[in-house]
C-alpha cells in the first residue's frame, strides 16, 4: 500500500517513532521499514512540514515522502515459531516441559522469547517419585532457579519444585473441594504439600480451621511461608507422618483431604479415624479405566470395618487422566460411628 511517511536517519528513528506513536500519527496497519541508512515510518495522513519542528533533532535529514509499505506483521505465536503446539505447564513464572523431548531446547528458547511471563524453563528429568513426590529438573533456559510464586484462586504460594510437590493442574479440583467446606468447619489435610488445599480453604471459608500435615520438611517450610504470605491464622502446619498426626486429631474433622494418590490406600484407616461422625473424606487414588472405583471402594469399606466405623459414598469423579488407561480419581465418602 502507498502511504505518506517520514524518512528519518536510523539514529533518530526510535525517538521519533515514540513521539509519533504518542501523538497517534503512526499508520496502524503498515510495517515500518528500512531504506538504506534511513527508516521509513508510515503515517496516517500527510504531515505538514512545520509539524517536523516538534521532533527531536528534526532538521533537513527528515523528509516527507510517499512510499510503498507491507501490511504490519502480527507478532508470531509459539506455534508459528515452532511449527507445532508444544505441551507445557506453567507454575508462577516457570514453564515445565519434559527434558527428553527431542525438541526440548527449541521449545525452551521459544517459551522464553515469546511468553513474556516466563523467566525460567525447566525440563523434568525424572517422573514424580519417592515418598515426597518430587521430580528432578534441569534448567533448559532462563534463570537458574526452581523457586517461584504461583497465584491460584486469589492465594499466593511460594513453591520450590526441587524440594516439594506442586501441580497447577489440580487448581479446579482444589476449588471444588474448598467450595464443599461450610463456614466454621474443621478440615484435616493429611498430605498438604505447600498448602494449596489448606490455604485456599483457610482463606475462602469464613471461620474454617485447618490442620495441614506433611512429612516433607521442605514442603512444611514452604507451607509455613505460605500461611504467612496469605496472612492466615486459621491454618496450622504440622510436620509429621500422616498416621501419627491423624492419631492426634481423631474424630475431629468435618473434611479429611487425602491427596496422595499413589499410596493413600495405605492411610485409609487413619483418614477414616480423623473424620468426625458425619465427616466427609476426600480420597484420591490412581485406578484403571476398567475399574475406576470398585477396588478402591472395597478397600475403603474394609478399612472402615477395621476401625469400627461405617462409610457411605457421596461422590465419585475422574480428576484427570494419569497414564494410558489410568486415571487420578476422587472418591468422597461420609463416615459414621463413634
Ligand atoms: N496436597 C498437595 C498438593 O495438592 O499440592 C500435595 C500433594 S502430593 C501428591 C503428596 C504429599 O504427601 C507430598 O507433599 C508428600 O511429601 C506428602 N507425604 C507423603 N507421605 C507422607 C506421609 N506418610 N505423611 C505425611 N505426608 C506425606
Amino acid at each position: 500500500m502507498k502511504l505518506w511517511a517520514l524518512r528519518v536517519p536510523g539514529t533518530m528513528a526510535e525517538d521519533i517513532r515514540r513521539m509519533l506513536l504518542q501523538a497517534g500519527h503512526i499508520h496502524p496497519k503498515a510495517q515500518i521499514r528500512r531504506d538504506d541508512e534511513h527508516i521509513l515510518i508510515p503515517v496516517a495522513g500527510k504531515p505538514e512540514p512545520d509539524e517536523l519542528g516538534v521532533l527531536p533533532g528534526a532538521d533537513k535529514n527528515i523528509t516527507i515522502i510517499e512510499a510503498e509499505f507491507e501490511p504490519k506483521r502480527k507478532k508470531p505465536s509459539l506455534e508459528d515459531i515452532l511449527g507445532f503446539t508444544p505441551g507445557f505447564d506453567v507454575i508462577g513464572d516457570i514453564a515445565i516441559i519434559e527434558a527428553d523431548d527431542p525438541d526440548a531446547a527449541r521449545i525452551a528458547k521459544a517459551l522464553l522469547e515469546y511468553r513474556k511471563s516466563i523467566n525460567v524453563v525447566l525440563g523434568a528429568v525424572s517422573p514424580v517419585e519417592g515418598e515426597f513426590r518430587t521430580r528432578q529438573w534441569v534448567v533448559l533456559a532462563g534463570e537458574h532457579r526452581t523457586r517461584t510464586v504461583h497465584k491460584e484462586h486469589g492465594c499466593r504460594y511460594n513453591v520450590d519444585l526441587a524440594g516439594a510437590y506442586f501441580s497447577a493442574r489440580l487448581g479446579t479440583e482444589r476449588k471444588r473441594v474448598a467450595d464443599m467446606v461450610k463456614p466454621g468447619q474443621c478440615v484435616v489435610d493429611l498430605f498438604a504439600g505447600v498448602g494449596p488445599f489448606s490455604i485456599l480453604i483457610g482463606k475462602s471459608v469464613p471461620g474454617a480451621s485447618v490442620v495441614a500435615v506433611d512429612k516433607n520438611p521442605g514442603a512444611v517450610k514452604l507451607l509455613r511461608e505460605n500461611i504467612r504470605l496469605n496472612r492466615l491464622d486459621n491454618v496450622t502446619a504440622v510436620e509429621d507422618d500422616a498416621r501419627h498426626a491423624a492419631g492426634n486429631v481423631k474424630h475431629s474433622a468435618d473434611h479429611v483431604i487425602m491427596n496422595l494418590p499413589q499410596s493413600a490406600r495405605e492411610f485409609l484407616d487413619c483418614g477414616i479415624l480423623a473424620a468426625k461422625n458425619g465427616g466427609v473424606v476426600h480420597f484420591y487414588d490412581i485406578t484403571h479405566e476398567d475399574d475406576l472405583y470398585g477396588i478402591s471402594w472395597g478397600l475403603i469399606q474394609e478399612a472402615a470395618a477395621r476401625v469400627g466405623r461405617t462409610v457411605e459414598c457421596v461422590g465419585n469423579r475422574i480428576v484427570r487422566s494419569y497414564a494410558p488407561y489410568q486415571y487420578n480419581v476422587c472418591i468422597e465418602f461420609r463416615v459414621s460411628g463413634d
Side-chain angles (χ1 to χ4, degrees):
M1 55 185 135
K2 197 164 195 180
L3 296 170
W4 287 104
L6 295 191
R7 186 170 182 274
V8 304
T11 49
M12 293 180 181
E14 185 49 23
D15 284 345
I16 293 175
R17 186 194 67 82
R18 277 209 208 119
M19 186 162 282
L20 290 170
L21 190 67
Q22 249 176 11
H25 288 323
I26 295 192
H27 196 290
K29 294 196 171 145
Q31 182 73 34
I32 294 176
R33 69 177 172 89
R34 184 168 276 286
D35 180 23
D36 293 329
E37 298 303 301
H38 288 75
I39 301 293
L40 294 183
I41 305 176
V43 287
K46 185 178 180 185
E48 293 304 319
D50 59 357
E51 280 182 53
L52 298 183
V54 301
L55 299 170
D59 59 19
K60 59 183 179 337
N61 290 326
I62 301 178
T63 47
I64 299 169
I65 61 166
E66 270 190 298
E68 281 295 332
F69 286 92
E70 295 285 318
K72 199 169 191 172
R73 288 189 286 274
K74 82 176 184 6
K75 206 172 147 237
S77 65
L78 266 182
E79 286 73 12
D80 294 334
I81 301 300
L82 293 168
F84 60 89
T85 306
F88 62 95
D89 283 339
V90 176
I91 296 175
D93 67 346
I94 299 179
I96 292 170
I97 61 177
E98 295 298 325
D100 63 1
D101 186 318
D103 291 306
R106 279 184 66 219
I107 297 172
K109 189 166 174 286
L111 279 168
L112 204 63
E113 220 164 301
Y114 292 95
R115 287 286 162 101
K116 289 297 158 220
S117 55
I118 300 297
N119 293 313
V120 181
V121 183
L122 294 181
V125 291
S126 79
V128 177
E129 62 189 6
E131 190 178 27
F132 296 159
R133 313 308 298 149
T134 50
R135 301 184 87 168
Q136 289 169 44
W137 306 98
V138 61
V139 177
L140 293 172
E143 297 167 25
H144 279 242
R145 59 178 160 86
T146 51
R147 207 180 148 108
T148 187
V149 180
H150 184 75
K151 291 184 194 146
E152 187 177 284
H153 305 309
C155 303
R156 293 200 296 156
Y157 300 102
N158 285 341
V159 171
D160 185 348
L161 293 166
Y165 177 92
F166 189 83
S167 168
R169 293 187 186 185
L170 293 175
T172 310
E173 178 62 10
R174 299 195 260 259
K175 178 81 170 70
R176 187 189 68 80
V177 172
D179 286 346
M180 290 175 74
V181 179
K182 296 198 172 64
Q185 286 193 327
C186 166
V187 176
V188 173
D189 183 0
L190 282 178
F191 309 102
V194 305
F197 279 97
S198 295
I199 299 233
L200 176 59
I201 292 168
K203 191 151 181 169
S204 62
V205 184
S209 61
V210 186
V211 176
V213 180
D214 204 285
K215 194 174 176 182
N216 176 1
V220 176
K221 185 169 176 288
L222 290 158
L223 169 62
R224 293 201 167 108
E225 288 177 19
N226 293 334
I227 292 170
R228 284 194 296 277
L229 188 62
N230 291 280
R231 298 198 170 89
L232 297 175
D233 59 8
N234 57 348
V235 179
T236 306
V238 177
E239 183 188 323
D240 200 354
D241 186 282
R243 275 193 202 85
H244 184 255
N248 294 332
V249 291
K250 267 188 197 163
H251 294 207
S252 71
D254 294 288
H255 294 268
V256 181
I257 302 169
M258 300 185 67
N259 179 225
L260 177 62
Q262 286 292 345
S263 46
R265 291 174 177 198
E266 297 162 25
F267 296 85
L268 271 167
D269 296 27
C270 69
I272 292 170
L273 271 176
K276 65 157 64 156
N277 187 17
V280 171
V281 177
H282 309 262
F283 170 74
Y284 293 88
D285 205 355
I286 305 290
T287 58
H288 195 275
E289 66 174 8
D290 291 343
D291 181 6
L292 284 174
Y293 307 110
I295 293 174
S296 312
W297 183 240
L299 293 170
I300 292 164
Q301 286 178 308
E302 282 172 25
R306 270 197 304 276
V307 297
R309 306 189 86 182
T310 56
V311 286
E312 170 206 356
C313 182
V314 293
N316 290 330
R317 58 189 301 105
I318 291 176
V319 177
R320 56 176 171 161
S321 77
Y322 179 75
Y325 314 112
Q326 289 197 308
Y327 290 90
N328 178 188
V329 298
C330 179
I331 299 175
E332 280 159 335
F333 54 93
R334 195 177 303 286
V335 177
S336 306
D338 295 318

